[in-house]
Amino acid sequence: MKKINFIATLLMLSGSVSLAQTEKKPMAQLINDEFKFAAEQYKVLGKNITPGKTPQSFDKGKSINYDVKWWCSGFYAGSLWNIYEQTKNENVKKDAEAALKILEPNQTYTGNHDLGFMMYCSFGNAYRLTGKPEYKAVIQQSAASLATRYRPVVKSIQSWNKSKYWECPVIIDNMMNLEMLNWVSDNGGDKKYKEISVTHANTTLKNHFRPDFSSYHVIDYNPQTGEVLKKATWQGAANCSAWSRGQGWALYGYTMMYRFTKDPEYLKQAKGIAHFILNHPNLPADKIPFWDFDAQGIPFAKRDASAGALIASALLELGQYTAGSEKTTFKSAAETMIYSLSSEAYHAKLGENGGFLLMHSTGAYPLNSEIDVPLIYADYYYLEALARYKKWYL
Ligand code: GLY
């Protein structure tokens, strides 16, 4: 009996129990059920928030809430808006509006590159669904604040400030913040934001990637000359490894840049990254990555559900720009990811998990921070993936 349990555990850890073996709900029903569930589960999450802060995680029975300057502060509001869009639940809308209120002062924050995550995932969704001019004004101001971090010599937005570790660090995650800049330029704002985005994306294309389309996490530049000082990591297993969420940011980032520019180089890059991820020998059968593709201890290494959710969402968009068998590959990989995340291996039960939807994400393994916990951005990209599937594939 013990031996059978051990083998079952091994199979689960390696992700080799095919979900095809279990009964699958039709995707339309799953999506509908998931948004209804999210509206209920987020009542629990909402009760666990310290006033003035935003929910981040839940660990050892305790809810973790962070200050609004933290890079994740916009995901809660963004998730609520996405739930509202699908359920039309007025209480969810009220919570979403309240969540925006505490984020508003961030619009003039210039302390890091994360304004896109913070203000576009939140106010961007709010504006998309309501068309309120005051939300647009916040997005425009946020873009102006983010653009102050553009360094013309480096031809990039500086991600973090100079420290004892770095001179002028640019991280692959920074690609995500370009969405807000592109959007503002395309919606009546200054065209310079799109120029900054394109220049940043081109510099990242040149310096962040390896020949196999995997990405370094951090490139440190000499701010006086623009020369690359080092290629390194902060959250990955090693400088030369492929940190899973970073690969997801890269995939999402170049797919999104193609949406705004139609530059075939960006599409080529996004496809290359997608094939790197999907053909990687260390991608488990359930397609939810380990926290790093080169993590020690695979198949026993921790997973990162946030990377799975983010990659699923990006693949669904990339599928829109591809055809034939390539489109089928991207769509069906995203489907596997969604079914995995919605299964009890990753999905919380009502009232559990501190009110978050998904379990088993990893924030920063080498820093011994947020390991195998729920994370608000895993929920955000999971909900986005569900909504995208419904919009584009049903
Ligand atoms: N942008 C920080 C992270 O992905 O952890």
Side-chain angles (χ1 to χ4, degrees):
M1 187 62 186
K2 258 192 185 148
K3 195 173 167 194
I4 292 170
N5 281 343
F6 177 69
I7 291 167
T9 307
L10 265 184
L11 287 170
M12 197 200 79
L13 283 165
S14 65
S16 53
V17 177
S18 168
L19 285 159
Q21 292 161 9
T22 60
E23 196 63 30
K24 276 189 197 164
K25 252 188 215 180
M27 193 57 94
Q29 190 191 333
L30 183 143
I31 293 169
N32 196 29
D33 291 352
E34 280 300 86
F35 278 104
K36 275 197 199 138
F37 173 87
E40 290 306 307
Q41 182 77 336
Y42 268 36
K43 281 187 198 163
V44 180
L45 185 62
K47 286 197 183 108
N48 290 336
I49 302 173
T50 312
K53 303 215 169 190
T54 57
Q56 171 74 9
S57 185
F58 180 77
D59 198 12
K60 299 181 188 70
K62 282 178 91 170
S63 297
I64 298 161
N65 297 279
Y66 281 161
D67 185 81
V68 292
K69 298 276 180 294
W70 182 239
W71 74 276
C72 303
S73 59
F75 292 118
Y76 175 55
S79 296
L80 288 169
W81 282 109
N82 281 323
I83 297 167
Y84 170 68
E85 180 183 20
Q86 301 296 333
T87 61
K88 297 289 175 276
N89 181 321
E90 286 300 318
N91 290 328
V92 172
K93 188 179 184 195
K94 274 193 203 120
D95 288 346
E97 285 164 345
L100 290 186
K101 270 269 160 272
I102 64 160
L103 289 175
E104 234 177 87
N106 277 344
Q107 62 186 298
T108 52
Y109 182 63
T110 56
N112 64 36
H113 70 123
D114 289 317
L115 264 276
F117 282 122
M118 293 149 82
M119 305 307 273
Y120 192 68
C121 296
S122 52
F123 283 88
N125 279 304
Y127 181 72
R128 180 174 67 78
L129 296 174
T130 65
K132 283 190 176 173
E134 59 265 37
Y135 293 162
K136 187 173 182 181
V138 171
I139 300 168
Q140 283 169 328
Q141 176 55 52
S142 302
S145 300
L146 175 57
T148 65
R149 298 187 67 83
Y150 181 66
R151 307 286 176 253
V153 174
V154 176
K155 295 188 165 63
S156 288
I157 293 166
Q158 181 168 351
S159 302
W160 304 323
N161 295 340
K162 180 178 156 76
S163 69
K164 64 179 176 180
Y165 304 107
W166 322 104
E167 290 295 317
C168 178
V170 178
I171 62 175
I172 189 65
D173 325 29
N174 208 330
M175 287 299 301
M176 300 297 285
N177 295 307
L178 306 181
E179 188 170 7
M180 177 169 74
L181 297 181
N182 280 300
W183 185 88
V184 168
S185 288
D186 281 6
N187 287 275
D190 197 324
K191 297 288 173 228
K192 79 173 178 198
Y193 301 130
K194 195 161 188 173
E195 284 160 23
I196 288 174
S197 297
V198 167
T199 311
H200 180 106
N202 291 344
T203 306
T204 299
L205 203 52
K206 189 165 127 213
N207 295 327
H208 259 84
F209 290 93
R210 309 181 183 106
D212 64 1
F213 289 94
S214 71
S215 164
Y216 289 94
H217 184 200
V218 191
I219 304 294
D220 195 22
Y221 292 94
N222 178 329
Q224 273 80 45
T225 63
E227 171 206 0
V228 172
L229 296 174
K230 60 181 168 205
K231 300 192 172 202
T233 197
W234 186 248
Q235 281 155 267
N239 290 343
C240 59
S241 76
W243 173 49
S244 298
R245 200 163 54 256
Q247 311 315 302
W249 296 142
L251 173 65
Y252 195 117
Y254 281 95
T255 306
M256 173 274 296
M257 283 305 296
Y258 179 72
R259 181 202 321 153
F260 282 106
T261 62
K262 297 292 171 235
D263 183 334
E265 278 304 308
Y266 298 152
L267 183 59
K268 189 173 144 223
Q269 190 67 16
K271 286 183 187 183
I273 300 163
H275 289 296
F276 171 83
I277 293 171
L278 297 180
N279 296 322
H280 200 289
N282 287 342
L283 183 69
D286 69 1
K287 301 204 191 300
I288 306 305
F290 297 102
W291 69 274
D292 191 298
F293 281 96
D294 304 296
Q296 273 194 347
I298 288 174
F300 299 102
K302 297 292 183 194
R303 300 296 188 93
D304 183 8
S306 78
L310 154 71
I311 291 167
S313 185
L315 287 173
L316 291 173
E317 180 169 13
L318 188 54
Q320 290 299 291
Y321 310 138
T322 45
S325 65
E326 206 169 29
K327 185 186 180 98
T328 309
T329 301
F330 297 151
K331 179 187 168 216
S332 90
E335 258 169 22
T336 303
M337 290 169 188
I338 289 173
Y339 276 118
S340 298
L341 293 172
S342 67
S343 77
E344 62 183 21
Y346 297 93
H347 195 278
K349 294 198 167 59
L350 188 63
E352 296 181 2
N353 204 35
F356 290 89
L357 306 177
L358 298 181
M359 309 181 283
H360 305 311
S361 288
T362 298
Y365 193 93
L367 308 179
N368 201 20
S369 170
E370 299 178 333
I371 298 171
D372 198 9
V373 290
L375 286 169
I376 188 67
Y377 48 95
D379 284 11
Y380 176 84
Y381 288 104
Y382 176 60
L383 293 169
E384 184 183 76
L386 295 173
R388 285 180 162 189
Y389 195 99
K390 182 174 165 184
K391 182 166 62 164
W392 290 329
Y393 297 96
L394 285 183

